[in-house]
Amino acid sequence: MVAFRRWCRATGRFVAVLVGVLTLTGAGTAGAQQTSVVLRGQVLDAGTRQPIPFARVGVGDNRVGTSTNDDGHFRLVVPAAYAHSTLEVAQLGYQRHRQPLAALASANQEVEIALRLSPTELSEVAVSASAEGIVREAVTRIPQNYSVRPTRLSGFLREADVAASGQTLFVAEATEQVLVPPYTEPRSRGQVRLDQACKVDLRAQGSAGRGPDWAAGPFVPLRFDFVRTRAEFLQPARFGSYTYRVTDLTSFHGEPVYVIRFGPRPGRRGAHYTGTLYIGSESYAFIKASATRLGGGGASLGTDDDDSTATANPTGLWGPVRSWTTSYQPAYGRWHLQAVHYRVHLSKRDTRHTADYLTTAVDTAAGTPFDYAHRAQYTDVLLRNEVAYDSAFWQRYLPPLANTVVEQALGQAAAAAGPARAAASVFETAQAAAPVPSRWRRGWATLGRRLRLTYSLGVVPVNASAGPVTVGYTPAGSRFAAQGSLDVPGGRRRRLIQSVGYELELLPGLCVRYASLAATGAYGQGQAGWQAGLGYTYHLNRRGRPLHLRAGLDYTRLVLGRDLGTFDNPAPGLQVGGRTFDSPRLALALQTRTEALQPKLGVGVELAHRCTWWLDAGYLLPLRDPRTELRLRETRGFFLSRHEVSQALPAADMQLQVRETPAVAAPWTPARLLWQTGLTLRLR
């Protein structure tokens, strides 16, 4: 029995050791499987040995890829899942290159890939249809050639402003996720989520307070996807305004490709672009397009292969000429966006704005929308990002168009941040690279982040007693005398109240606010009021679009008045209430002034990251009885210097009759319940 127990213990220890070894081996294997491979290389022309820029380099059927830079170099981070796939390199006019990735990755050095020309003469493919017919057929086949379900792209974005002297003014880089809607839905806007972003301001200190002049932002891949958005020159209704002609034939992935030039038809309106289309002769897929939006004076393109911008007329009657080039790539039986290169020359500042986007991965199965809280919006434009910034992240990608000046600027910015700043926010990184702003500028920046503007419309019910109202006014010691009358309709009437105001955030969710009030309609003839108090918002939906519960307490002064008419001032220099009235015509009005505390409760919904719509219900708690006043004001002269004065009734020089009976109060008062709805706009 003892021997049996010893044998059981020994067997248990052996099994435990074996399980541990297998576990460690599995963990090591899993860890190895999770290791990415970095592939570096250069793509050259096999005949001339010249570098080939913008060549597509992809693995896993082009699900993951990059493009070569101006010197033909590329750097591709290959996930472990594609370590045993095939490297594919393709460019218009060259034969496609395919090679097992395992052999290249094991070399652990920069590889050289030579592409051979694939010359195709125009006569080799019979062009039986007209150039316009080719374009029409390509538009018809968009549902067969492009994705008809949402697709997620991973990409790299760079924006920059460069002065005529070559000095880089702004640089922004970001890695982002782009949710591309189906190509059968050209009006869908799509979604963008920023993963990492770096913004650097490199201007002189005196101009650093103006802010970046970004024009395209993270939405470049959605704005310039001309196939999905159906650019003007692809709309059948506009074909009559354009001329199309086949000028050459090249090849891509072994398929002949039509080169079609297009431009405005002489004497026809409705055409604003000129450029070149590349369309496969067998698939009728749009592979690439270079286009320039013409100004009022027109423009001409340079050669299409070098993606040059308009040079004949850099600015037109309606502003600068904008040029862009968009290319597509095949992946999983469909064509997807590969790269966008956008250029515009800003003549007023003599600068060139560029925006380059490159797709680094395609996911045809992850088409779920992004959470609202992490979704970029058009008002963001790389100015705000909650993801921690890695000071070296930009080195992981080569931009589609490499620029030595830009590379140096970003390198200096990353070096200025230092290792200790690796996890700093985007704003802190930008400030570290740029000159340190003054205390005055920092104060204004802080105020801008806390200050909000509001505009609202409200509804206030007015209770009134029907009947004629007569008012007489004769100031003592003057020759001015006024006798006015009006007819007041009875019952409850609802009047609109306009409001413009400000909110200043003191603590998260807590703000102090002020707004002016102005009534419209019969009780708003130049009358006004104001309210001020505290407001609090509570976020009810933190995982999606913000839904706020709003509460507040305001001091409200509401003025409702009726005009009695205008009267001659026979003696300029009239003294009333310590004011001098020199205008030859004076207006008289009867008004009620209500002073009350107003508790409010409501809801708000964020329409955009900087804009919120809200609806509040307030209840007036009067601090005293409504006060009836007679208001006298000048009607002529510069509006900022016009005098006015309000005097309370009763007074010896005022007579008020309601329904032919002497009275001391106007026959109307506001009801207690007040509804307001409006918009709140954050400045930053």
Side-chain angles (χ1 to χ4, degrees), residues 198-450:
C198 170
K199 179 176 67 72
V200 183
D201 189 346
L202 300 173
R203 293 166 300 174
Q205 185 173 2
S207 60
R210 294 181 306 162
D213 303 322
W214 307 120
F219 294 87
V220 163
L222 294 174
R223 291 179 57 193
F224 297 101
D225 187 346
F226 71 94
V227 176
R228 189 189 62 82
T229 60
R230 303 295 195 276
E232 180 182 288
F233 46 83
L234 299 186
Q235 299 175 10
R238 300 287 186 94
F239 284 157
S241 301
Y242 281 93
T243 60
Y244 303 86
R245 58 189 178 90
V246 179
T247 61
D248 198 359
L249 201 70
T250 182
S251 65
F252 185 71
H253 279 256
E255 176 187 7
V257 176
Y258 294 119
V259 181
I260 299 178
R261 292 296 299 262
F262 65 89
R265 189 183 297 273
R268 298 292 295 271
R269 295 183 177 182
H272 304 90
Y273 292 90
T274 181
T276 305
L277 291 169
Y278 298 83
I279 301 176
S281 65
E282 299 173 2
S283 64
Y284 284 90
F286 292 101
I287 299 174
K288 180 181 176 182
S290 297
T292 294
R293 181 175 177 86
L294 302 175
S300 63
L301 285 174
T303 58
D304 300 296
D305 293 335
D306 62 1
D307 300 333
S308 60
T309 59
T311 56
N313 181 26
T315 58
L317 180 63
W318 305 109
V321 176
R322 305 171 187 273
S323 300
W324 49 263
T325 298
T326 302
S327 57
Y328 298 85
Q329 58 185 327
Y332 292 92
R334 299 277 179 166
W335 290 82
H336 303 275
L337 186 70
Q338 176 190 0
V340 176
H341 312 306
Y342 172 74
R343 301 288 180 271
V344 59
H345 182 263
L346 306 175
S347 59
K348 292 183 179 180
R349 299 180 182 143
D350 199 17
T351 59
R352 185 181 74 256
H353 176 80
T354 64
D356 299 311
Y357 169 82
L358 170 67
T359 296
T360 57
V362 179
D363 191 343
T364 58
T368 56
F370 302 127
D371 292 338
Y372 176 84
H374 301 95
R375 190 187 310 165
Q377 297 187 14
Y378 283 93
T379 55
D380 295 342
V381 196
L382 294 184
L383 298 180
R384 183 170 179 264
N385 183 23
E386 297 177 356
V387 180
Y389 169 60
D390 179 359
S391 61
F393 93 95
W394 61 272
Q395 298 177 354
R396 302 172 190 164
Y397 301 90
L398 282 176
L401 298 177
N403 184 303
T404 304
V405 176
V406 174
E407 296 288 355
Q408 292 176 352
L410 285 172
Q412 294 170 0
R421 299 291 298 277
S425 69
V426 175
F427 289 111
E428 293 172 343
T429 303
Q431 292 170 358
V436 178
S438 65
R439 180 179 301 178
W440 182 83
R441 292 184 183 275
R442 291 198 302 270
W444 274 111
T446 301
L447 180 62
R449 287 192 292 269
R450 294 178 177 270

Side-chain angles (χ1 to χ4, degrees), residues 663-675:
V664 295
W668 61 78
T669 56
R672 297 294 183 90
L673 187 62
L674 174 65
W675 291 91

Side-chain angles (χ1 to χ4, degrees), residues 9 36 85 133 149 157 164 180 237 250 292 295 353 372 434 444 464 475 490 525 539 620:
R9 293 194 187 103
S36 300
S85 63
R149 62 181 182 180
L157 173 71
V180 182
T250 182
T292 294
H353 176 80
Y372 176 84
W444 274 111
Q525 304 299 320
H539 197 341
L620 294 176

Side-chain angles (χ1 to χ4, degrees), residues 542-558:
R542 298 187 180 277
R543 294 187 177 182
R545 182 183 296 272
L547 176 65
H548 297 135
L549 178 65
R550 296 166 51 91
L553 180 63
D554 290 340
Y555 171 82
T556 300
R557 176 176 291 181
L558 181 61

Side-chain angles (χ1 to χ4, degrees), residues 137-148 184 283 333-335:
E137 181 64 20
V139 173
T140 303
R141 295 199 190 184
I142 287 176
Q144 287 76 41
N145 289 322
Y146 299 85
S147 179
V148 294
T184 53
S283 64
R334 299 277 179 166
W335 290 82

